[in-house]
Amino acid sequence: KDLACVSCGTTNDIQYHASHFKPAGGYSYLRFDENNVHKSCSRCNSQLAGNLIPYREALIKKIGIEEVERLEQPNQIKTWSVEEYQEIIKKYRQKTKELKL
């Protein structure tokens, strides 16, 4: 939450987005992968369609080239079960609670 925009580095935006490196709609197996979503300013995420060249460069520094290349692999279809969704909800409710402390 305290990081700057992953693509341009701004800390001056009033509304940040959760920007997916690979779109969640087209890459269902990455939808809940935390290495695929990063803080982005509204300009980079909305107006510049993610501003992907600097996004990728920043990701290499942040998570390493091997992990970036893993994210760039061809799409794999993932169908989430009810149990998986329940676990994901539980996990992120707890993380949200911890952020509010």
Side-chain angles (χ1 to χ4, degrees):
K1 70 177 177 105
D2 296 325
L3 299 176
C5 171
V6 68
S7 296
C8 73
T10 190
T11 57
N12 297 325
D13 203 341
I14 58 171
Q15 182 180 359
Y16 286 95
H17 297 187
S19 177
H20 291 82
F21 181 62
K22 290 294 186 177
Y27 291 79
S28 60
Y29 76 105
L30 294 175
R31 179 174 300 277
F32 301 108
D33 187 320
E34 291 185 16
N35 280 338
N36 188 48
V37 62
H38 300 271
K39 184 178 180 180
S40 179
C41 70
S42 56
R43 179 176 180 270
C44 284
N45 196 46
S46 298
Q47 297 169 9
L48 300 176
N51 202 3
L52 292 178
I53 292 172
Y55 193 155
R56 185 179 191 277
E57 292 168 355
L59 275 190
I60 291 170
K61 291 177 188 170
K62 185 174 180 181
I63 63 175
I65 187 66
E66 295 83 11
E67 186 63 8
V68 171
E69 288 175 346
R70 181 188 69 82
L71 294 174
E72 294 174 328
Q73 293 300 307
N75 187 20
Q76 304 163 27
I77 303 301
K78 168 69 175 157
T79 303
W80 301 89
S81 70
V82 171
E83 292 80 15
E84 287 173 310
Y85 277 127
Q86 290 170 336
E87 284 300 313
I88 291 165
I89 290 167
K90 182 178 173 182
K91 174 183 177 180
Y92 287 103
R93 279 189 178 147
Q94 181 60 37
K95 285 185 174 221
T96 301
K97 189 182 292 185
E98 291 169 7
L99 282 173
K100 291 180 179 179
L101 295 177

